[in-house]
Amino acid sequence: MKWNFLRLSSWLIALTLLISSHSIFAQQYKIDKPANWVNTHIIEQPKHSDITKVRDGTLYLLLDNQSYIPSRQKQQRYTRLVMQAQNQSGVDYISQLNLDFDPSYESLTLNSLTIIRNDKRIDKLASARMTVIQSESELANRIYNGSLSLNIIIDDMRSGDILDYSYTVTGSNPVYANKFSARRTLNWSVPVVQQNMRVLWGLRLYKRLFDFISKQSLSWKAIKSFLA
């Protein structure tokens, strides 16, 4: 009798810890529309040459990164990605997402999750399965520093569907004392139809365009053209 009671107690404790853990993870992100400072970009149609160069069944239609660096508030980084599944491999790839963040100094807001099918938008925020897990990089390297991932599994994805999703990460690593830096790749190994980078900051911003092949900095004119 005593042994059964102890077993029951241990099961109740384990169940309580599991529920508490799930509750804590669930509080690590929220769903809300983008902030007012975010610009929305129209999705451009791909060229035939872009489609013929697709690898692994995924065509990247838009990569959009926007950063807001206020003087007395937390930094915000908005990301929007639009991808089209060209075949089943593309469906398998884009139907599962992982959004990384560190809850010790960052918060995650999922802004949108939409499928475009036959020019019609299908909101997937309600039906997609979302789970907060340890980040994949931590699991792979067996280095645990507290980083988490919002794992999203999207239901009813089909070949030809376009996935349009966006999210905002608020906060920055206190080690950098509110300093800001960002890097953006321009030359991708796969076709990217449209990409955008925008930084809102009241202070002077130093910019440099670097060619990692020739190891040389490029012209200031090219930088202004890209960041305009």
PDB file of all heavy atoms in Angstrom, residues 1-22:
ATOM      1  N   MET A   1       0.832  -1.210   0.000  1.00  0.00           N
ATOM      2  CA  MET A   1       0.000   0.000   0.000  1.00  0.00           C
ATOM      3  C   MET A   1       0.865   1.258   0.000  1.00  0.00           C
ATOM      4  O   MET A   1       0.635   2.206  -0.728  1.00  0.00           O
ATOM      5  CB  MET A   1      -0.917  -0.024   1.226  1.00  0.00           C
ATOM      6  CG  MET A   1      -1.907   1.125   1.267  1.00  0.00           C
ATOM      7  SD  MET A   1      -3.235   0.914   0.033  1.00  0.00           S
ATOM      8  CE  MET A   1      -4.189   2.357   0.389  1.00  0.00           C
ATOM      9  N   LYS A   2       1.902   1.225   0.872  1.00  0.00           N
ATOM     10  CA  LYS A   2       2.802   2.360   0.947  1.00  0.00           C
ATOM     11  C   LYS A   2       3.545   2.545  -0.367  1.00  0.00           C
ATOM     12  O   LYS A   2       3.750   3.676  -0.834  1.00  0.00           O
ATOM     13  CB  LYS A   2       3.794   2.145   2.089  1.00  0.00           C
ATOM     14  CG  LYS A   2       4.744   3.319   2.298  1.00  0.00           C
ATOM     15  CD  LYS A   2       5.651   3.059   3.461  1.00  0.00           C
ATOM     16  CE  LYS A   2       6.605   4.247   3.653  1.00  0.00           C
ATOM     17  NZ  LYS A   2       7.519   4.009   4.794  1.00  0.00           N
ATOM     18  N   TRP A   3       3.940   1.445  -1.001  1.00  0.00           N
ATOM     19  CA  TRP A   3       4.669   1.523  -2.271  1.00  0.00           C
ATOM     20  C   TRP A   3       3.784   2.120  -3.359  1.00  0.00           C
ATOM     21  O   TRP A   3       4.225   2.946  -4.155  1.00  0.00           O
ATOM     22  CB  TRP A   3       5.141   0.139  -2.655  1.00  0.00           C
ATOM     23  CG  TRP A   3       5.788   0.074  -4.014  1.00  0.00           C
ATOM     24  CD1 TRP A   3       5.312  -0.536  -5.111  1.00  0.00           C
ATOM     25  CD2 TRP A   3       7.017   0.685  -4.396  1.00  0.00           C
ATOM     26  NE1 TRP A   3       6.166  -0.379  -6.167  1.00  0.00           N
ATOM     27  CE2 TRP A   3       7.233   0.377  -5.756  1.00  0.00           C
ATOM     28  CE3 TRP A   3       7.981   1.445  -3.717  1.00  0.00           C
ATOM     29  CZ2 TRP A   3       8.349   0.791  -6.447  1.00  0.00           C
ATOM     30  CZ3 TRP A   3       9.092   1.876  -4.424  1.00  0.00           C
ATOM     31  CH2 TRP A   3       9.268   1.552  -5.764  1.00  0.00           C
ATOM     32  N   ASN A   4       2.521   1.713  -3.407  1.00  0.00           N
ATOM     33  CA  ASN A   4       1.578   2.264  -4.389  1.00  0.00           C
ATOM     34  C   ASN A   4       1.372   3.755  -4.182  1.00  0.00           C
ATOM     35  O   ASN A   4       1.247   4.517  -5.133  1.00  0.00           O
ATOM     36  CB  ASN A   4       0.238   1.534  -4.305  1.00  0.00           C
ATOM     37  CG  ASN A   4       0.331   0.113  -4.822  1.00  0.00           C
ATOM     38  OD1 ASN A   4       1.219  -0.198  -5.608  1.00  0.00           O
ATOM     39  ND2 ASN A   4      -0.568  -0.750  -4.358  1.00  0.00           N
ATOM     40  N   PHE A   5       1.322   4.149  -2.896  1.00  0.00           N
ATOM     41  CA  PHE A   5       1.148   5.574  -2.595  1.00  0.00           C
ATOM     42  C   PHE A   5       2.346   6.391  -3.080  1.00  0.00           C
ATOM     43  O   PHE A   5       2.209   7.467  -3.645  1.00  0.00           O
ATOM     44  CB  PHE A   5       0.956   5.758  -1.082  1.00  0.00           C
ATOM     45  CG  PHE A   5       0.882   7.208  -0.666  1.00  0.00           C
ATOM     46  CD1 PHE A   5      -0.262   7.960  -0.892  1.00  0.00           C
ATOM     47  CD2 PHE A   5       1.978   7.828  -0.061  1.00  0.00           C
ATOM     48  CE1 PHE A   5      -0.314   9.293  -0.517  1.00  0.00           C
ATOM     49  CE2 PHE A   5       1.925   9.148   0.310  1.00  0.00           C
ATOM     50  CZ  PHE A   5       0.768   9.897   0.081  1.00  0.00           C
ATOM     51  N   LEU A   6       3.548   5.831  -2.861  1.00  0.00           N
ATOM     52  CA  LEU A   6       4.752   6.529  -3.311  1.00  0.00           C
ATOM     53  C   LEU A   6       4.803   6.639  -4.823  1.00  0.00           C
ATOM     54  O   LEU A   6       5.189   7.671  -5.382  1.00  0.00           O
ATOM     55  CB  LEU A   6       5.995   5.801  -2.789  1.00  0.00           C
ATOM     56  CG  LEU A   6       6.226   5.880  -1.276  1.00  0.00           C
ATOM     57  CD1 LEU A   6       7.419   5.006  -0.878  1.00  0.00           C
ATOM     58  CD2 LEU A   6       6.464   7.324  -0.843  1.00  0.00           C
ATOM     59  N   ARG A   7       4.402   5.552  -5.505  1.00  0.00           N
ATOM     60  CA  ARG A   7       4.381   5.585  -6.967  1.00  0.00           C
ATOM     61  C   ARG A   7       3.388   6.616  -7.465  1.00  0.00           C
ATOM     62  O   ARG A   7       3.650   7.371  -8.400  1.00  0.00           O
ATOM     63  CB  ARG A   7       4.021   4.205  -7.505  1.00  0.00           C
ATOM     64  CG  ARG A   7       5.122   3.166  -7.344  1.00  0.00           C
ATOM     65  CD  ARG A   7       4.727   1.853  -7.978  1.00  0.00           C
ATOM     66  NE  ARG A   7       4.520   2.018  -9.418  1.00  0.00           N
ATOM     67  CZ  ARG A   7       4.068   1.047 -10.195  1.00  0.00           C
ATOM     68  NH1 ARG A   7       3.759  -0.151  -9.670  1.00  0.00           N
ATOM     69  NH2 ARG A   7       3.927   1.239 -11.485  1.00  0.00           N
ATOM     70  N   LEU A   8       2.209   6.658  -6.831  1.00  0.00           N
ATOM     71  CA  LEU A   8       1.195   7.635  -7.229  1.00  0.00           C
ATOM     72  C   LEU A   8       1.691   9.050  -6.997  1.00  0.00           C
ATOM     73  O   LEU A   8       1.505   9.944  -7.831  1.00  0.00           O
ATOM     74  CB  LEU A   8      -0.102   7.385  -6.441  1.00  0.00           C
ATOM     75  CG  LEU A   8      -1.251   8.374  -6.698  1.00  0.00           C
ATOM     76  CD1 LEU A   8      -1.667   8.313  -8.177  1.00  0.00           C
ATOM     77  CD2 LEU A   8      -2.437   8.060  -5.801  1.00  0.00           C
ATOM     78  N   SER A   9       2.370   9.268  -5.866  1.00  0.00           N
ATOM     79  CA  SER A   9       2.902  10.598  -5.554  1.00  0.00           C
ATOM     80  C   SER A   9       3.935  11.039  -6.580  1.00  0.00           C
ATOM     81  O   SER A   9       3.955  12.185  -7.030  1.00  0.00           O
ATOM     82  CB  SER A   9       3.514  10.597  -4.145  1.00  0.00           C
ATOM     83  OG  SER A   9       2.552  10.290  -3.176  1.00  0.00           O
ATOM     84  N   SER A  10       4.817  10.090  -6.968  1.00  0.00           N
ATOM     85  CA  SER A  10       5.855  10.427  -7.957  1.00  0.00           C
ATOM     86  C   SER A  10       5.240  10.761  -9.302  1.00  0.00           C
ATOM     87  O   SER A  10       5.701  11.665 -10.002  1.00  0.00           O
ATOM     88  CB  SER A  10       6.849   9.277  -8.087  1.00  0.00           C
ATOM     89  OG  SER A  10       6.208   8.117  -8.582  1.00  0.00           O
ATOM     90  N   TRP A  11       4.176  10.035  -9.678  1.00  0.00           N
ATOM     91  CA  TRP A  11       3.498  10.326 -10.943  1.00  0.00           C
ATOM     92  C   TRP A  11       2.840  11.698 -10.904  1.00  0.00           C
ATOM     93  O   TRP A  11       2.876  12.435 -11.883  1.00  0.00           O
ATOM     94  CB  TRP A  11       2.453   9.249 -11.233  1.00  0.00           C
ATOM     95  CG  TRP A  11       3.003   8.046 -11.910  1.00  0.00           C
ATOM     96  CD1 TRP A  11       3.241   6.812 -11.372  1.00  0.00           C
ATOM     97  CD2 TRP A  11       3.423   7.963 -13.282  1.00  0.00           C
ATOM     98  NE1 TRP A  11       3.785   5.955 -12.298  1.00  0.00           N
ATOM     99  CE2 TRP A  11       3.895   6.634 -13.490  1.00  0.00           C
ATOM    100  CE3 TRP A  11       3.444   8.851 -14.341  1.00  0.00           C
ATOM    101  CZ2 TRP A  11       4.386   6.192 -14.711  1.00  0.00           C
ATOM    102  CZ3 TRP A  11       3.928   8.409 -15.562  1.00  0.00           C
ATOM    103  CH2 TRP A  11       4.393   7.106 -15.744  1.00  0.00           C
ATOM    104  N   LEU A  12       2.241  12.036  -9.775  1.00  0.00           N
ATOM    105  CA  LEU A  12       1.586  13.344  -9.639  1.00  0.00           C
ATOM    106  C   LEU A  12       2.614  14.469  -9.709  1.00  0.00           C
ATOM    107  O   LEU A  12       2.379  15.505 -10.331  1.00  0.00           O
ATOM    108  CB  LEU A  12       0.819  13.409  -8.317  1.00  0.00           C
ATOM    109  CG  LEU A  12      -0.455  12.564  -8.243  1.00  0.00           C
ATOM    110  CD1 LEU A  12      -1.044  12.610  -6.836  1.00  0.00           C
ATOM    111  CD2 LEU A  12      -1.486  13.062  -9.264  1.00  0.00           C
ATOM    112  N   ILE A  13       3.768  14.261  -9.068  1.00  0.00           N
ATOM    113  CA  ILE A  13       4.829  15.281  -9.117  1.00  0.00           C
ATOM    114  C   ILE A  13       5.339  15.450 -10.540  1.00  0.00           C
ATOM    115  O   ILE A  13       5.524  16.571 -11.024  1.00  0.00           O
ATOM    116  CB  ILE A  13       5.983  14.891  -8.165  1.00  0.00           C
ATOM    117  CG1 ILE A  13       5.515  14.958  -6.710  1.00  0.00           C
ATOM    118  CG2 ILE A  13       7.184  15.805  -8.385  1.00  0.00           C
ATOM    119  CD1 ILE A  13       6.526  14.414  -5.721  1.00  0.00           C
ATOM    120  N   ALA A  14       5.565  14.330 -11.234  1.00  0.00           N
ATOM    121  CA  ALA A  14       6.048  14.396 -12.617  1.00  0.00           C
ATOM    122  C   ALA A  14       5.035  15.091 -13.520  1.00  0.00           C
ATOM    123  O   ALA A  14       5.402  15.902 -14.378  1.00  0.00           O
ATOM    124  CB  ALA A  14       6.331  12.987 -13.129  1.00  0.00           C
ATOM    125  N   LEU A  15       3.736  14.785 -13.307  1.00  0.00           N
ATOM    126  CA  LEU A  15       2.691  15.413 -14.111  1.00  0.00           C
ATOM    127  C   LEU A  15       2.624  16.901 -13.837  1.00  0.00           C
ATOM    128  O   LEU A  15       2.474  17.719 -14.749  1.00  0.00           O
ATOM    129  CB  LEU A  15       1.347  14.754 -13.822  1.00  0.00           C
ATOM    130  CG  LEU A  15       0.132  15.306 -14.594  1.00  0.00           C
ATOM    131  CD1 LEU A  15       0.356  15.123 -16.091  1.00  0.00           C
ATOM    132  CD2 LEU A  15      -1.143  14.610 -14.147  1.00  0.00           C
ATOM    133  N   THR A  16       2.784  17.293 -12.577  1.00  0.00           N
ATOM    134  CA  THR A  16       2.766  18.713 -12.209  1.00  0.00           C
ATOM    135  C   THR A  16       3.921  19.452 -12.848  1.00  0.00           C
ATOM    136  O   THR A  16       3.771  20.563 -13.372  1.00  0.00           O
ATOM    137  CB  THR A  16       2.834  18.862 -10.683  1.00  0.00           C
ATOM    138  OG1 THR A  16       1.725  18.189 -10.097  1.00  0.00           O
ATOM    139  CG2 THR A  16       2.779  20.339 -10.289  1.00  0.00           C
ATOM    140  N   LEU A  17       5.121  18.831 -12.819  1.00  0.00           N
ATOM    141  CA  LEU A  17       6.295  19.451 -13.442  1.00  0.00           C
ATOM    142  C   LEU A  17       6.115  19.589 -14.937  1.00  0.00           C
ATOM    143  O   LEU A  17       6.503  20.600 -15.541  1.00  0.00           O
ATOM    144  CB  LEU A  17       7.548  18.630 -13.140  1.00  0.00           C
ATOM    145  CG  LEU A  17       8.024  18.636 -11.687  1.00  0.00           C
ATOM    146  CD1 LEU A  17       9.184  17.661 -11.506  1.00  0.00           C
ATOM    147  CD2 LEU A  17       8.442  20.043 -11.266  1.00  0.00           C
ATOM    148  N   LEU A  18       5.498  18.583 -15.572  1.00  0.00           N
ATOM    149  CA  LEU A  18       5.273  18.623 -17.011  1.00  0.00           C
ATOM    150  C   LEU A  18       4.310  19.739 -17.375  1.00  0.00           C
ATOM    151  O   LEU A  18       4.539  20.503 -18.321  1.00  0.00           O
ATOM    152  CB  LEU A  18       4.722  17.276 -17.488  1.00  0.00           C
ATOM    153  CG  LEU A  18       4.395  17.163 -18.983  1.00  0.00           C
ATOM    154  CD1 LEU A  18       5.675  17.348 -19.799  1.00  0.00           C
ATOM    155  CD2 LEU A  18       3.759  15.818 -19.286  1.00  0.00           C
ATOM    156  N   ILE A  19       3.238  19.854 -16.608  1.00  0.00           N
ATOM    157  CA  ILE A  19       2.252  20.926 -16.865  1.00  0.00           C
ATOM    158  C   ILE A  19       2.868  22.291 -16.632  1.00  0.00           C
ATOM    159  O   ILE A  19       2.687  23.230 -17.411  1.00  0.00           O
ATOM    160  CB  ILE A  19       1.010  20.733 -15.967  1.00  0.00           C
ATOM    161  CG1 ILE A  19       0.272  19.449 -16.359  1.00  0.00           C
ATOM    162  CG2 ILE A  19       0.073  21.926 -16.076  1.00  0.00           C
ATOM    163  CD1 ILE A  19      -0.879  19.096 -15.430  1.00  0.00           C
ATOM    164  N   SER A  20       3.668  22.420 -15.552  1.00  0.00           N
ATOM    165  CA  SER A  20       4.323  23.697 -15.261  1.00  0.00           C
ATOM    166  C   SER A  20       5.299  24.068 -16.355  1.00  0.00           C
ATOM    167  O   SER A  20       5.373  25.220 -16.785  1.00  0.00           O
ATOM    168  CB  SER A  20       5.042  23.618 -13.911  1.00  0.00           C
ATOM    169  OG  SER A  20       4.140  23.338 -12.868  1.00  0.00           O
ATOM    170  N   SER A  21       6.073  23.065 -16.817  1.00  0.00           N
ATOM    171  CA  SER A  21       7.036  23.306 -17.887  1.00  0.00           C
ATOM    172  C   SER A  21       6.336  23.748 -19.158  1.00  0.00           C
ATOM    173  O   SER A  21       6.768  24.693 -19.832  1.00  0.00           O
ATOM    174  CB  SER A  21       7.851  22.043 -18.147  1.00  0.00           C
ATOM    175  OG  SER A  21       8.710  22.226 -19.249  1.00  0.00           O
ATOM    176  N   HIS A  22       5.232  23.079 -19.512  1.00  0.00           N
ATOM    177  CA  HIS A  22       4.484  23.448 -20.713  1.00  0.00           C
ATOM    178  C   HIS A  22       3.915  24.858 -20.579  1.00  0.00           C
ATOM    179  O   HIS A  22       3.930  25.640 -21.529  1.00  0.00           O
ATOM    180  CB  HIS A  22       3.354  22.448 -20.931  1.00  0.00           C
ATOM    181  CG  HIS A  22       2.488  22.781 -22.108  1.00  0.00           C
ATOM    182  ND1 HIS A  22       2.889  22.560 -23.407  1.00  0.00           N
ATOM    183  CD2 HIS A  22       1.257  23.354 -22.178  1.00  0.00           C
ATOM    184  CE1 HIS A  22       1.951  22.961 -24.238  1.00  0.00           C
ATOM    185  NE2 HIS A  22       0.943  23.444 -23.517  1.00  0.00           N
TER     186      HIS A  22
END
